[in-house]
């Protein structure tokens, strides 16, 4: 079994950022430079074709570390970021580019590829979570949430949340083509959920996104819908209030 290995570390503006590897998985961990151990742990996904250190994801992670005292982890999805691509990854990307260039629906390719990525990524996330819980500053008792990621982040996050009882709250979003396996995962989710929806998403039918929200099995779910297109979730959609409500807030050490 592979062990988690930190490969780089830097501190800025009160946040400690550490890159790590776990076998083939590449990830990053953000935490308060000075804060309590065993703080809530937030798992974050990224969008399709992107990586673990997009500006928006990093901004959310640093915000949660400084305002809530949380530790935040993100990993590259298979074939994304610092990870090598397989022939399947290259073929799917080429098919998506052809569909977009031809003005054709990307749904069939996106759904097929997203389901394949989720099958690979969910076990990787669970193995990563095992390794993170072995770190003394996190431990096995830290509350855990899936802190978001629309598009691919939801395609992976929903089956992960459905499969892993350690996750006690989750943030998802529209923007991903809905397919049967995703709906089945949504029905098995019983933890509190915040769902972000871009009302004018040009790639995903609004009714299918609403159907995905409706399928989520929990009795405690909230939707925030905003005008705008794919990937344009407004900056004011702060995940902190939802996460603090369900995980609490870490007690910050004095500066």
């Amino acid at each position: 079994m592979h062990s988690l290995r930190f490969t780089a570390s830097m501190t800025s503006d009160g946040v400690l950022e550490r890159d790590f590897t776990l076998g083939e998985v590449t990830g990053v961990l953000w935490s308060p430079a000075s804060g309590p151990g065993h703080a809530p742990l937030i798992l974050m996904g990224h969008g399709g074709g992107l990586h673990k250190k997009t500006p928006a994801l990093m901004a959310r992670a640093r915000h949660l570390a400084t305002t809530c005292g949380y530790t935040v982890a993100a990993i590259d999805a298979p074939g994304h970021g610092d990870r090598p691509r397989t022939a399947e990854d290259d073929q799917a990307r080429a098919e998506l580019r052809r569909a977009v260039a031809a003005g054709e629906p990307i749904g069939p390719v996106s759904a097929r590829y997203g389901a394949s990525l989720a099958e690979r990524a969910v076990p990787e996330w669970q193995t990563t979570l095992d390794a993170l819980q072995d770190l003394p500053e996190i431990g096995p008792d830290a509350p855990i949430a899936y802190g978001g990621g629309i598009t691919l982040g939801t395609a992976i996050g929903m089956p992960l949340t459905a499969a892993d009882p350690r996750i006690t709250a989750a943030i998802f979003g529209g923007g991903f083509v809905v397919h049967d396996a995703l709906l089945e995962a949504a029905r098995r989710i019983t933890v509190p959920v915040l769902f972000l929806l871009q009302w004018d998403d040009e790639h995903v039918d609004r009714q299918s996104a609403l159907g995905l929200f409706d399928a989520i099995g929990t009795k405690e779910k909230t939707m925030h819908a905003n005008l705008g297109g794919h990937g344009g979730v407004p900056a004011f959609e702060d995940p902190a209030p939802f996460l603090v409500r369900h995980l609490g807030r870490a007690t910050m050490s004095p500066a």
Side-chain angles (χ1 to χ4, degrees):
M1 177 176 290
H2 298 286
S3 59
L4 188 146
R5 183 170 66 93
F6 288 111
T7 58
S9 175
M10 63 171 289
T11 301
S12 65
D13 299 324
V15 177
L16 172 63
E17 177 183 303
R18 291 176 286 174
D19 294 344
F20 67 83
T21 60
L22 181 66
E24 297 180 354
V25 174
T26 51
V28 59
L29 197 64
W30 293 274
S31 57
S34 148
H38 303 186
L41 172 64
I42 312 301
L43 314 178
M44 281 197 175
H46 60 74
L50 301 176
H51 54 83
K52 63 184 178 295
K53 287 189 178 182
T54 63
L57 192 156
M58 291 182 67
R60 290 196 303 274
R62 296 179 69 86
H63 170 66
L64 292 174
T66 56
T67 64
C68 304
Y70 292 166
T71 300
V72 181
I75 64 175
D76 287 319
H80 287 67
D82 294 323
R83 303 185 60 181
R85 298 180 190 173
T86 65
E88 179 189 4
D89 296 322
D90 288 333
Q91 179 180 350
R93 289 176 181 232
E95 291 177 356
L96 286 168
R97 287 193 297 268
R98 284 196 295 269
V100 171
E104 298 173 352
I106 65 171
V109 179
S110 183
R112 183 172 64 250
Y113 185 44
S116 173
L117 287 174
E119 287 180 2
R120 290 184 274 167
V122 168
E124 291 180 347
W125 259 121
Q126 292 183 297
T127 300
T128 300
L129 185 50
D130 291 341
L132 292 173
Q133 288 185 310
D134 283 340
L135 296 175
E137 64 266 38
I138 294 177
D141 299 322
I144 299 167
Y146 188 79
I150 62 170
T151 66
L152 181 60
T154 287
I156 293 172
M158 278 194 167
L160 172 63
T161 302
D164 201 311
R166 291 174 290 187
I167 298 174
T168 58
I171 300 174
F172 304 123
F176 191 80
V177 175
V178 178
H179 53 84
D180 289 344
L182 194 59
L183 287 168
E184 192 277 332
R187 295 185 185 104
R188 291 188 287 118
I189 293 172
T190 58
V191 300
V193 167
L194 172 62
F195 191 92
L196 305 176
L197 177 65
Q198 287 302 99
W199 201 246
D200 307 300
D201 194 311
E202 61 271 27
H203 295 307
V204 179
D205 174 70
R206 184 188 304 158
Q207 289 304 315
S208 70
L210 293 172
L212 181 61
F213 174 77
D214 189 53
I216 297 171
T218 182
K219 300 299 183 182
E220 187 174 350
K221 55 185 176 181
T222 301
M223 175 185 288
H224 289 183
N226 291 283
L227 296 178
H230 187 79
V233 175
F236 60 71
E237 284 289 1
D238 183 357
F242 171 83
L243 295 172
V244 168
R245 187 162 70 250
H246 296 290
L247 275 68
R249 186 187 299 270
T251 303
M252 301 296 290
S253 297

